[in-house]
Amino acid sequence: DQQVKQNSPSLSVQEGRISILNCDYTNSMFDYFLWYKKYPAEGPTFLISISSIKDKNEDGRFTVFLNKSAKHLSLHIVPSQPGDSAVYFCAASEPVSFSSNTGKLIFGQGTTLQVKP
Amino acid sequence: EAQVTQNPRYLITVTGKKLTVTCSQNMNHEYMSWYRQDPGLGLRQIYYSMNVEVTDKGDVPEGYKVSRKEKRNFPLILESPSPNQTSLYFCASSLAYNYGYTFGSGTRLTVV
């Protein structure tokens, strides 16, 4: 059962406009959420993260929003640039606890973003 | 340069022939992990390690083994590879479980 879902396989936007990538999760115990960007033939690179105690985190053109009641997070890229064209993965981490050695990171399926010049 | 290095980048092998994919990080990270990427399934965790001699199964551990004898190295072992293990594999390391992982460049494995 997929605990982290990205329901849109692809998204296309015009340069300069806003890109909104969405992610849904099912496990209310997740305590950190992260976004990664991946170019072809490269490993994913960390983009931005948010703690479950916050609802927004901003880093330059990238903002992540977290709606815990809806178990939904989104990544906003403003303004979008052609170099942002890549696959974006959201991921969620389970907290480390005494009852389990978890702390693993669970990824969604990814959304391919294309930013057109 | 801070990095995660995995080798080889590409590997074609035959069913049942044992292989090892190496992974090394130079950032003194506690956490290391192996993922496989398959179309439509995203990145799925195979195994992870929180420190030397501490490893645990991820979501798809069947058919894989790992070891963490030194902090910097985390090899992935396929004792008897099968065609369903054909995939793109990534090794990653992190300072802590809630920090961003640094990923290697990937290993494209084909089992025929």
Side-chain angles (χ1 to χ4, degrees):
Chain A
D1 186 30
Q2 193 91 19
Q3 294 189 69
V4 179
K5 291 183 181 179
Q6 294 174 258
N7 293 315
S8 297
S10 63
L11 174 68
S12 182
V13 300
Q14 209 64 38
E15 181 179 6
R17 305 294 291 267
I18 184 172
S19 295
I20 301 176
L21 298 108
N22 294 304
C23 181
D24 296 298
Y25 62 94
T26 57
N27 188 346
S28 58
M29 296 301 293
F30 289 144
D31 64 345
Y32 273 89
F33 302 89
L34 305 92
W35 284 93
Y36 285 81
K37 180 167 75 172
K38 185 182 181 303
Y39 293 118
E42 295 182 12
T45 54
F46 170 69
L47 202 53
I48 191 170
S49 66
I50 187 169
S51 163
S52 61
I53 62 173
K54 294 187 175 181
D55 54 18
K56 178 183 174 182
N57 189 26
E58 196 170 352
D59 184 2
R61 296 185 297 115
F62 302 91
T63 303
V64 57
F65 295 93
L66 176 62
N67 182 336
K68 280 187 292 182
S69 61
K71 295 193 179 67
H72 177 84
L73 68 153
S74 60
L75 175 68
H76 293 210
I77 307 173
V78 183
S80 302
Q81 299 172 354
D84 295 329
S85 298
V87 179
Y88 288 79
F89 291 97
C90 70
S93 69
E94 298 176 349
V96 175
S97 69
F98 290 112
S99 61
S100 73
N101 284 326
T102 191
K104 63 183 183 181
L105 200 57
I106 301 169
F107 283 80
Q109 307 96 311
T111 297
T112 300
L113 172 66
Q114 182 185 25
V115 180
K116 297 179 180 177
Chain B
E1 181 189 351
Q3 60 185 2
V4 175
T5 303
Q6 53 181 113
N7 284 297
R9 288 294 306 273
Y10 301 93
L11 179 60
I12 300 175
T13 189
V14 296
T15 299
K17 186 177 181 182
K18 181 179 178 180
L19 66 91
T20 299
V21 184
T22 63
C23 174
S24 181
Q25 51 95 1
N26 61 0
M27 296 166 280
N28 202 36
H29 283 169
E30 302 285 337
Y31 280 75
M32 296 189 75
S33 187
W34 276 102
Y35 288 87
R36 59 178 287 175
Q37 183 186 4
D38 301 289
L41 297 176
L43 291 154
R44 292 181 294 167
Q45 194 171 42
I46 303 170
Y47 269 96
Y48 62 100
S49 169
M50 293 187 292
N51 213 326
V52 175
E53 303 292 3
V54 181
T55 63
D56 206 350
K57 296 177 181 179
D59 294 316
V60 287
E62 295 78 21
Y64 304 95
K65 283 175 58 177
V66 293
S67 67
R68 187 92 182 270
K69 292 184 169 54
E70 306 165 279
K71 198 172 188 177
R72 63 182 292 125
N73 296 322
F74 192 45
L76 180 69
I77 303 158
L78 284 74
E79 294 271 4
S80 182
S82 62
N84 64 13
Q85 293 178 298
T86 292
S87 187
L88 179 57
Y89 291 86
F90 290 101
C91 180
S93 73
S94 177
L95 195 58
Y97 81 96
N98 55 353
Y99 274 54
Y101 269 94
T102 299
F103 280 79
S105 299
T107 295
R108 173 76 66 183
L109 172 66
T110 302
V111 183
V112 298

